[in-house]
PDB file of all heavy atoms in Angstrom:
ATOM      1  N   GLU A 445     -55.244  -0.744  79.559  1.00  0.00           N
ATOM      2  CA  GLU A 445     -54.440  -1.831  78.981  1.00  0.00           C
ATOM      3  C   GLU A 445     -54.432  -3.051  79.899  1.00  0.00           C
ATOM      4  O   GLU A 445     -54.528  -4.192  79.429  1.00  0.00           O
ATOM      5  CB  GLU A 445     -53.013  -1.329  78.721  1.00  0.00           C
ATOM      6  CG  GLU A 445     -52.924  -0.370  77.537  1.00  0.00           C
ATOM      7  CD  GLU A 445     -51.521   0.174  77.330  1.00  0.00           C
ATOM      8  OE1 GLU A 445     -50.714   0.121  78.287  1.00  0.00           O
ATOM      9  OE2 GLU A 445     -51.235   0.678  76.223  1.00  0.00           O
ATOM     10  N   ASN A 446     -54.353  -2.811  81.210  1.00  0.00           N
ATOM     11  CA  ASN A 446     -54.386  -3.938  82.154  1.00  0.00           C
ATOM     12  C   ASN A 446     -55.733  -4.641  82.120  1.00  0.00           C
ATOM     13  O   ASN A 446     -55.812  -5.875  82.143  1.00  0.00           O
ATOM     14  CB  ASN A 446     -54.098  -3.448  83.579  1.00  0.00           C
ATOM     15  CG  ASN A 446     -52.643  -3.098  83.787  1.00  0.00           C
ATOM     16  OD1 ASN A 446     -51.774  -3.571  83.060  1.00  0.00           O
ATOM     17  ND2 ASN A 446     -52.358  -2.249  84.779  1.00  0.00           N
ATOM     18  N   TRP A 447     -56.795  -3.856  82.088  1.00  0.00           N
ATOM     19  CA  TRP A 447     -58.135  -4.454  82.026  1.00  0.00           C
ATOM     20  C   TRP A 447     -58.287  -5.338  80.788  1.00  0.00           C
ATOM     21  O   TRP A 447     -58.882  -6.408  80.847  1.00  0.00           O
ATOM     22  CB  TRP A 447     -59.197  -3.351  81.969  1.00  0.00           C
ATOM     23  CG  TRP A 447     -59.572  -2.784  83.309  1.00  0.00           C
ATOM     24  CD1 TRP A 447     -59.459  -3.398  84.531  1.00  0.00           C
ATOM     25  CD2 TRP A 447     -60.135  -1.503  83.551  1.00  0.00           C
ATOM     26  NE1 TRP A 447     -59.915  -2.563  85.518  1.00  0.00           N
ATOM     27  CE2 TRP A 447     -60.346  -1.397  84.953  1.00  0.00           C
ATOM     28  CE3 TRP A 447     -60.489  -0.418  82.741  1.00  0.00           C
ATOM     29  CZ2 TRP A 447     -60.889  -0.261  85.548  1.00  0.00           C
ATOM     30  CZ3 TRP A 447     -61.041   0.701  83.327  1.00  0.00           C
ATOM     31  CH2 TRP A 447     -61.233   0.798  84.720  1.00  0.00           C
ATOM     32  N   MET A 448     -57.746  -4.876  79.672  1.00  0.00           N
ATOM     33  CA  MET A 448     -57.956  -5.568  78.404  1.00  0.00           C
ATOM     34  C   MET A 448     -56.962  -6.704  78.177  1.00  0.00           C
ATOM     35  O   MET A 448     -57.308  -7.708  77.546  1.00  0.00           O
ATOM     36  CB  MET A 448     -57.885  -4.563  77.254  1.00  0.00           C
ATOM     37  CG  MET A 448     -58.946  -3.470  77.372  1.00  0.00           C
ATOM     38  SD  MET A 448     -58.881  -2.244  76.060  1.00  0.00           S
ATOM     39  CE  MET A 448     -59.597  -3.192  74.717  1.00  0.00           C
ATOM     40  N   ASN A 449     -55.749  -6.558  78.708  1.00  0.00           N
ATOM     41  CA  ASN A 449     -54.729  -7.577  78.465  1.00  0.00           C
ATOM     42  C   ASN A 449     -54.734  -8.679  79.515  1.00  0.00           C
ATOM     43  O   ASN A 449     -54.426  -9.833  79.219  1.00  0.00           O
ATOM     44  CB  ASN A 449     -53.335  -6.933  78.415  1.00  0.00           C
ATOM     45  CG  ASN A 449     -53.181  -6.013  77.219  1.00  0.00           C
ATOM     46  OD1 ASN A 449     -53.778  -6.237  76.168  1.00  0.00           O
ATOM     47  ND2 ASN A 449     -52.402  -4.950  77.370  1.00  0.00           N
ATOM     48  N   THR A 450     -55.086  -8.314  80.750  1.00  0.00           N
ATOM     49  CA  THR A 450     -55.100  -9.316  81.821  1.00  0.00           C
ATOM     50  C   THR A 450     -56.382  -9.200  82.636  1.00  0.00           C
ATOM     51  O   THR A 450     -56.352  -8.884  83.826  1.00  0.00           O
ATOM     52  CB  THR A 450     -53.866  -9.136  82.736  1.00  0.00           C
ATOM     53  OG1 THR A 450     -53.853  -7.773  83.226  1.00  0.00           O
ATOM     54  CG2 THR A 450     -52.585  -9.432  82.002  1.00  0.00           C
ATOM     55  N   PRO A 451     -57.524  -9.437  82.010  1.00  0.00           N
ATOM     56  CA  PRO A 451     -58.800  -9.290  82.732  1.00  0.00           C
ATOM     57  C   PRO A 451     -58.902 -10.291  83.877  1.00  0.00           C
ATOM     58  O   PRO A 451     -58.508 -11.442  83.755  1.00  0.00           O
ATOM     59  CB  PRO A 451     -59.852  -9.575  81.654  1.00  0.00           C
ATOM     60  CG  PRO A 451     -59.147 -10.424  80.655  1.00  0.00           C
ATOM     61  CD  PRO A 451     -57.728  -9.930  80.637  1.00  0.00           C
ATOM     62  N   GLY A 452     -59.391  -9.810  85.017  1.00  0.00           N
ATOM     63  CA  GLY A 452     -59.604 -10.699  86.157  1.00  0.00           C
ATOM     64  C   GLY A 452     -58.390 -10.915  87.018  1.00  0.00           C
ATOM     65  O   GLY A 452     -58.480 -11.552  88.068  1.00  0.00           O
ATOM     66  N   GLU A 453     -57.222 -10.385  86.615  1.00  0.00           N
ATOM     67  CA  GLU A 453     -56.004 -10.622  87.380  1.00  0.00           C
ATOM     68  C   GLU A 453     -55.667  -9.483  88.334  1.00  0.00           C
ATOM     69  O   GLU A 453     -54.793  -9.606  89.177  1.00  0.00           O
ATOM     70  CB  GLU A 453     -54.814 -10.842  86.427  1.00  0.00           C
ATOM     71  CG  GLU A 453     -54.925 -12.124  85.631  1.00  0.00           C
ATOM     72  CD  GLU A 453     -53.697 -12.364  84.772  1.00  0.00           C
ATOM     73  OE1 GLU A 453     -52.673 -11.678  85.011  1.00  0.00           O
ATOM     74  OE2 GLU A 453     -53.760 -13.215  83.878  1.00  0.00           O
ATOM     75  N   ASN A 454     -56.330  -8.330  88.166  1.00  0.00           N
ATOM     76  CA  ASN A 454     -55.984  -7.170  88.977  1.00  0.00           C
ATOM     77  C   ASN A 454     -56.924  -7.028  90.166  1.00  0.00           C
ATOM     78  O   ASN A 454     -58.052  -7.514  90.160  1.00  0.00           O
ATOM     79  CB  ASN A 454     -56.054  -5.894  88.118  1.00  0.00           C
ATOM     80  CG  ASN A 454     -55.096  -5.968  86.942  1.00  0.00           C
ATOM     81  OD1 ASN A 454     -53.904  -6.147  87.126  1.00  0.00           O
ATOM     82  ND2 ASN A 454     -55.632  -5.842  85.746  1.00  0.00           N
ATOM     83  N   LEU A 491     -59.200 -13.344  75.767  1.00  0.00           N
ATOM     84  CA  LEU A 491     -59.490 -13.373  77.196  1.00  0.00           C
ATOM     85  C   LEU A 491     -60.414 -12.226  77.609  1.00  0.00           C
ATOM     86  O   LEU A 491     -61.302 -12.396  78.449  1.00  0.00           O
ATOM     87  CB  LEU A 491     -58.188 -13.287  78.004  1.00  0.00           C
ATOM     88  CG  LEU A 491     -57.449 -14.603  78.260  1.00  0.00           C
ATOM     89  CD1 LEU A 491     -56.212 -14.347  79.095  1.00  0.00           C
ATOM     90  CD2 LEU A 491     -58.359 -15.603  78.971  1.00  0.00           C
ATOM     91  N   PHE A 636     -63.509 -18.044  82.060  1.00  0.00           N
ATOM     92  CA  PHE A 636     -64.239 -17.373  83.138  1.00  0.00           C
ATOM     93  C   PHE A 636     -65.646 -17.948  83.323  1.00  0.00           C
ATOM     94  O   PHE A 636     -66.474 -17.365  84.000  1.00  0.00           O
ATOM     95  CB  PHE A 636     -64.325 -15.864  82.865  1.00  0.00           C
ATOM     96  CG  PHE A 636     -62.982 -15.200  82.812  1.00  0.00           C
ATOM     97  CD1 PHE A 636     -62.363 -14.931  81.596  1.00  0.00           C
ATOM     98  CD2 PHE A 636     -62.316 -14.865  83.985  1.00  0.00           C
ATOM     99  CE1 PHE A 636     -61.120 -14.316  81.551  1.00  0.00           C
ATOM    100  CE2 PHE A 636     -61.069 -14.250  83.939  1.00  0.00           C
ATOM    101  CZ  PHE A 636     -60.465 -13.984  82.725  1.00  0.00           C
TER     102      PHE A 636
END
Side-chain angles (χ1 to χ4, degrees):
E445 287 177 340
N446 286 338
W447 277 336
M448 300 179 75
N449 294 329
T450 55
E453 293 184 14
N454 300 303
L491 275 181
F636 298 99

